[in-house]
Amino acid sequence: MEKNKKERKYGPSCLGYPLSIFFIVINEFCERFSYYGMRAVLVLYFKFFLHWDDNLSTAIYHTFVALCYLTPILGAIIADSWLGKFKTIISLSIVYTIGQAIMAVSSINDLTDYNRDGIPDNIPLHIGLSMVGLILIAFGTGGIKPCVSAFGGDQFEEEQEKQRNRFFSLFYLSVNAGSLLSTIITPILRGEECGIHTKQQCYPLAFGVPAALMAVSLMVFILGSKMYKKAHPQGNIMLQVSKCIGFAVKNRFQHRRKQFPKREHWLDWASEKYDKRLITQTKMVLRVLFLYIPLPMFWALFDQQGSRWTLQATTMDGNFGAIQIQPDQMQTVNPILIVVMVPIVDAVVYPLIKKCHFNFTPLRKITVGMFLASLAFVAAALVQVQIDKTLPNFPKEGQSQIKVINLGTDVAKVDFGPGVENMSVESLMATNYMTFDTTSLTGMNIAYGNQTLNQSLNFPGKERHTLILKNTGGIQTELLLDGLTSKSEDGKNQIRFINNLASTINITMGSTYLADVKNFSVTNYTSFTRGVKEIVVFGDNSLTCKNQSISFGYGSAYTIVIQECNNNSLALRYVEDIQPNTVHMAWQIPQYFIMTCGEVVFSVTGLAFSYSQAPSNMKSVLQAGWLLTVAVGNIIVLIVAGASKLSEQWAEYVLFAALLMAVCIIFSIMAYFYTYVDPVEIEAQLDEDEKKKMENEKSICENGTEPISQSEM
């Protein structure tokens, strides 16, 4: 009867597998789609919706990722000590779903666009909602991370080891499939335009779809609840290890005087309270955790694929022939290469190295992975140097930039005050943007021959302006706030028109219609895709003329002057406001390839090495330690990027590469002195010792004989 109670009856099965695992696999796919989809567009949301600069966007992004990898420890403790895995997954998935929904709401432009100008009027509200959403997501995704795969493993019987191993392969495939699809799809959704009053980048859709997938993930998991094998909480080994270490430190501190004899290892000071097995196992774990100390530096570089490298892609050309690649879609290169590289490295590279009689130990593989990641950042720095040659120089704090366009028939002379060189602008010509100290721009003098005009100026700073001049019927001026202080995140071209005709006109460019453009007036910038567009102008008395535009590139901005409209012929003049991106995104592929090679030999090998060196009942401790290195790595990004104060991005890439190279050398020295152990053999010896101890105690109780000495054992 007692035996029957302990036995578990097989539930519904499919192809020899418990039917419940398919609910878990689908749940994991949807959850990973939700997480990576949201994360793929996150740094661009910070920069282009919340209008944070690159440094703040990067800092908040890595703070969020760090929190996502700190919370698994909390999730594991809750599951093992309190709620159990099933209830922990349900509870934190609800928190997760609410967080994703809040993120979607926070990105709705019309939520606070009271004057309907396309710009949110209450940015602090959007920031507050975003931060609440991200914190809930971090606790949700981090909390369930250590539970889902382990819960799936619990569904199998002891004799189903083969099926359990295949489940973990299927589980890993679902993780990568969700990651790959989401990093392709959500940037496309972000690139769409949506809104009630004004059309903007569709961040609500890009965050809303991951929120919906997380809700689906939760519902699918609940649907299988009656089929699950639910183990009761049995205590968390991490807490036992922590208590053992804490007691050893405390006891050693209390017995620090010379009269107390030294012990072989500082953890032996826990022997008064904890058994030899736990102390020995803890020693084994700490030896591996000590090797983890340098590892966060690898993750500091690796996770910048989603921040710095994505921002780098916004300044590059994403034209791949028939396909337009969004900057945040370049992150898909990593999961694609992972799928390709893992079998190649395992089946080809490692066997070839073995045939060369080189002992490529796990720690040597990890060292090579760190070296490759460092090399990837050198490649990123070289690409950045080429990009910097093409980037516009946007105004900094305390600066203003002015471009002068002369639509008049004579030369215009402009004087911006003392200490500024006078400039002459030929008829129908334009200057480049000129940078001034904002405090010195208090007025200007404009002269067309004998005609002069004085105007006062009051600039807010850190903005670009365009001054349009004309001398028809006196001097006419129009001072515009351009509003362009960064490259377009989707690679579209920003185009505006100036009507230099005598009458009001309507303009059509492609499928965009601009109505009632008056004489000497300017339209707002409108987004257009790359390529040649047809421009049609409709004027008074059925006047119509058209022309083909120049071929627009990727991420440019132009002011197009409507100069003449005669006999169906349209004369246009192009003023380049922002140069198109000329460095192709394909140049990022080498750095992604090198980084992925580093990940394959670092991450996969690191986990395998850790498991091979740890006791069987402490795998979760090392899993928590491994995730902790990821969190610390993201914190390192915050510290280094914040403390370096480097003005050039390529220099920051070189700094990170140099730091990882230094850490790589330190790790190689630590690895040289590391001695590999066999946990199975050590635990077998512990079992033997405990067996002899029990026999010895039994002999004392039964026969009253002297205990067997340690030497005899």
Side-chain angles (χ1 to χ4, degrees):
M1 182 70 178
E2 185 66 25
K3 183 179 179 181
N4 290 337
K5 286 182 180 180
K6 292 182 180 179
E7 288 181 348
R8 178 204 175 215
K9 294 182 179 179
Y10 285 106
S13 63
C14 178
L15 302 176
Y17 294 88
L19 189 60
S20 58
I21 68 155
F22 296 100
F23 290 91
I24 296 171
V25 169
I26 295 172
N27 161 268
E28 182 66 11
F29 168 81
C30 294
E31 188 275 326
R32 289 291 85 186
F33 186 106
S34 177
Y35 174 73
Y36 282 107
M38 178 276 303
R39 205 176 104 168
V41 301
L42 188 60
V43 75
L44 298 186
Y45 168 74
F46 290 155
K47 180 174 181 180
F48 296 104
F49 187 90
L50 299 182
H51 302 292
W52 291 345
D53 61 23
D54 287 3
N55 289 333
L56 182 57
S57 300
T58 300
I60 300 300
Y61 174 87
H62 286 285
T63 301
F64 167 69
V65 175
L67 191 58
C68 289
Y69 284 94
L70 283 172
T71 49
I73 297 174
L74 179 63
I77 293 173
I78 292 174
D80 293 344
S81 305
W82 181 27
L83 293 179
K85 296 185 186 73
F86 176 75
K87 290 183 179 179
T88 300
I89 294 171
I90 293 289
S91 303
L92 293 180
S93 291
I94 293 172
V95 173
Y96 194 166
T97 305
I98 294 172
Q100 288 281 34
I102 291 175
M103 275 300 298
V105 172
S106 75
S107 63
I108 299 175
N109 186 77
D110 295 304
L111 189 65
T112 62
D113 186 13
Y114 308 124
N115 56 6
R116 302 184 181 182
D117 63 350
I119 301 174
D121 297 315
N122 192 352
I123 287 292
L125 175 62
H126 291 274
I127 293 174
L129 288 172
S130 300
M131 295 305 102
V132 170
L134 290 176
I135 290 171
L136 293 178
I137 291 169
F139 276 94
T141 186
I144 67 175
K145 192 183 294 290
C147 301
V148 179
S149 60
F151 186 71
D154 290 345
Q155 305 310 304
F156 296 87
E157 301 297 330
E158 290 182 5
E159 62 269 20
Q160 292 181 296
E161 183 178 353
K162 184 178 179 181
Q163 290 92 332
R164 182 188 289 111
N165 291 335
R166 287 181 178 173
F167 159 74
F168 284 120
S169 297
L170 183 62
F171 186 86
Y172 185 72
L173 179 63
S174 71
V175 170
N176 283 278
S179 167
L180 178 60
L181 288 176
S182 64
T183 48
I184 293 173
I185 294 172
T186 51
I188 295 175
L189 299 178
R190 177 194 58 78
E192 297 296 318
E193 293 187 347
C194 62
I196 300 173
H197 306 306
T198 58
K199 300 298 181 183
Q200 304 289 335
Q201 293 288 298
C202 204
Y203 288 104
L205 187 60
F207 289 135
V209 169
L213 262 291
M214 191 58 224
V216 171
S217 171
L218 176 59
M219 288 187 289
V220 168
F221 188 76
I222 293 174
L223 283 175
S225 60
K226 292 184 178 179
M227 305 178 191
Y228 297 140
K229 176 184 177 182
K230 304 167 188 175
H232 295 290
Q234 297 178 346
N236 189 274
I237 190 66
M238 284 188 292
L239 291 178
Q240 296 179 42
V241 171
S242 300
K243 289 178 180 179
C244 178
I245 294 172
F247 181 81
V249 172
K250 178 183 176 182
N251 198 27
R252 176 67 185 90
F253 181 77
Q254 291 175 345
H255 298 81
R256 61 186 182 277
R257 296 183 182 88
K258 292 183 179 180
Q259 62 264 34
F260 297 106
K262 291 184 178 181
R263 300 187 183 182
E264 184 178 352
H265 192 281
W266 63 269
L267 263 178
D268 292 331
W269 288 95
S271 58
E272 283 85 349
K273 185 175 181 180
Y274 296 94
D275 59 51
K276 182 180 178 181
R277 175 179 291 271
L278 179 62
I279 293 172
T280 303
Q281 291 175 332
T282 304
K283 289 178 184 178
M284 295 164 63
V285 167
L286 289 181
R287 292 177 74 248
V288 179
L289 291 179
F290 177 72
L291 283 178
Y292 280 1
I293 293 175
L295 302 189
M297 199 65 221
F298 173 87
W299 299 114
L301 277 69
F302 179 83
D303 277 338
Q304 289 189 59
Q305 292 176 90
S307 57
R308 291 298 199 198
W309 285 13
T310 299
L311 292 172
Q312 184 185 64
T314 64
T315 59
M316 303 177 77
D317 183 357
N319 178 30
F320 284 80
I323 303 174
Q324 295 293 319
I325 298 296
Q326 298 295 330
D328 31 5
Q329 284 180 315
M330 282 302 293
Q331 299 173 57
T332 60
V333 174
N334 176 256
I336 291 172
L337 288 175
I338 282 287
V339 173
V340 175
M341 292 298 298
V342 168
I344 291 177
V345 169
D346 285 339
V348 179
V349 177
Y350 288 160
L352 284 176
I353 294 175
K354 189 175 182 180
K355 284 187 177 182
C356 295
H357 304 290
F358 178 74
N359 187 17
F360 202 28
T361 63
L363 293 180
R364 288 175 178 172
K365 292 176 184 177
I366 294 173
T367 304
V368 170
M370 297 171 79
F371 172 77
L372 290 174
S374 177
L375 199 60
F377 261 59
V378 173
L382 294 175
V383 172
Q384 189 64 46
V385 168
Q386 299 304 313
I387 292 173
D388 288 347
K389 296 176 182 178
T390 69
L391 290 180
N393 180 28
F394 290 110
K396 300 179 176 60
E397 198 70 45
Q399 293 180 338
S400 295
Q401 291 182 342
I402 302 176
K403 174 199 288 284
V404 180
I405 301 177
N406 180 13
L407 302 181
T409 55
D410 297 318
V411 175
K413 294 183 178 181
V414 184
D415 179 8
F416 286 105
V420 180
E421 184 179 352
N422 294 350
M423 65 186 69
S424 296
V425 188
E426 297 291 332
S427 174
L428 303 180
M429 298 296 289
T431 67
N432 294 322
Y433 281 103
M434 298 165 289
T435 304
F436 300 95
D437 183 356
T438 301
T439 57
S440 66
L441 285 173
T442 57
M444 63 180 177
N445 177 268
I446 304 165
Y448 275 100
N450 294 327
Q451 299 181 75
T452 61
L453 177 67
N454 290 303
Q455 281 189 353
S456 59
L457 299 173
N458 184 18
F459 291 136
K462 210 176 181 180
E463 292 285 355
R464 281 185 158 191
H465 305 266
T466 298
L467 175 63
I468 306 174
L469 305 176
K470 195 171 184 179
N471 64 338
T472 303
I475 298 178
Q476 302 179 59
T477 66
E478 185 74 26
L479 186 60
L480 307 173
L481 175 62
D482 294 349
L484 295 180
T485 55
S486 64
K487 281 275 192 176
S488 170
E489 76 267 33
D490 56 5
K492 290 185 178 179
N493 302 281
Q494 303 299 312
I495 309 296
R496 64 180 177 181
F497 291 90
I498 299 178
N499 179 12
N500 200 30
L501 302 180
S503 59
T504 300
I505 58 173
N506 300 318
I507 304 171
T508 299
M509 179 168 167
S511 60
T512 301
Y513 180 70
L514 304 171
D516 297 328
V517 184
K518 297 180 181 179
N519 166 254
F520 198 63
S521 65
V522 185
T523 66
N524 294 324
Y525 280 107
T526 305
S527 296
F528 292 92
T529 56
R530 63 183 299 123
V532 177
K533 311 293 180 184
E534 183 178 62
I535 302 175
V536 182
V537 172
F538 306 92
D540 295 339
N541 301 321
S542 301
L543 176 67
T544 303
C545 47
K546 58 185 177 180
N547 200 348
Q548 297 293 311
S549 72
I550 62 173
S551 180
F552 296 111
Y554 197 92
S556 67
Y558 284 93
T559 298
I560 303 178
V561 180
I562 308 295
Q563 192 61 38
E564 293 182 8
C565 183
N566 294 317
N567 301 322
N568 200 36
S569 176
L570 180 63
L572 304 171
R573 187 162 194 85
Y574 294 86
V575 178
E576 186 181 82
D577 299 331
I578 294 179
Q579 179 182 344
N581 301 346
T582 55
V583 180
H584 203 276
M585 282 187 195
W587 285 107
Q588 279 197 322
I589 294 177
Q591 66 200 53
Y592 273 102
F593 175 76
I594 298 171
M595 180 64 79
T596 303
C597 290
E599 180 190 6
V600 169
V601 295
F602 178 92
S603 184
V604 177
T605 305
L607 283 173
F609 164 77
S610 302
Y611 274 48
S612 71
Q613 297 296 290
S616 57
N617 66 332
M618 292 197 178
K619 308 296 186 185
S620 61
V621 178
L622 286 180
Q623 178 70 13
W626 184 263
L627 295 175
L628 189 62
T629 65
V630 182
V632 175
N634 282 271
I635 294 172
I636 289 174
V637 178
L638 305 180
I639 297 171
V640 175
S644 65
K645 303 298 181 183
L646 295 173
S647 58
E648 300 293 341
Q649 185 57 52
W650 67 264
E652 184 178 292
Y653 287 145
V654 172
L655 173 62
F656 274 104
L659 289 173
L660 182 56
M661 187 62 69
V663 169
C664 179
I665 294 171
I666 295 171
F667 180 81
S668 64
I669 297 172
M670 294 169 62
Y672 179 79
F673 291 101
Y674 182 83
T675 303
Y676 291 84
V677 298
D678 185 355
V680 176
E681 184 179 324
I682 294 174
E683 290 183 324
Q685 183 62 47
L686 287 172
D687 291 338
E688 184 67 22
D689 290 346
E690 288 178 358
K691 182 180 178 182
K692 289 183 178 180
K693 182 179 179 181
M694 290 178 63
E695 290 176 352
N696 190 22
E697 291 175 350
K698 183 178 180 181
S699 175
I700 295 173
C701 293
E702 292 179 352
N703 305 320
T705 59
E706 292 293 324
I708 301 172
S709 67
Q710 188 67 29
S711 60
E712 292 173 335
M713 289 177 64

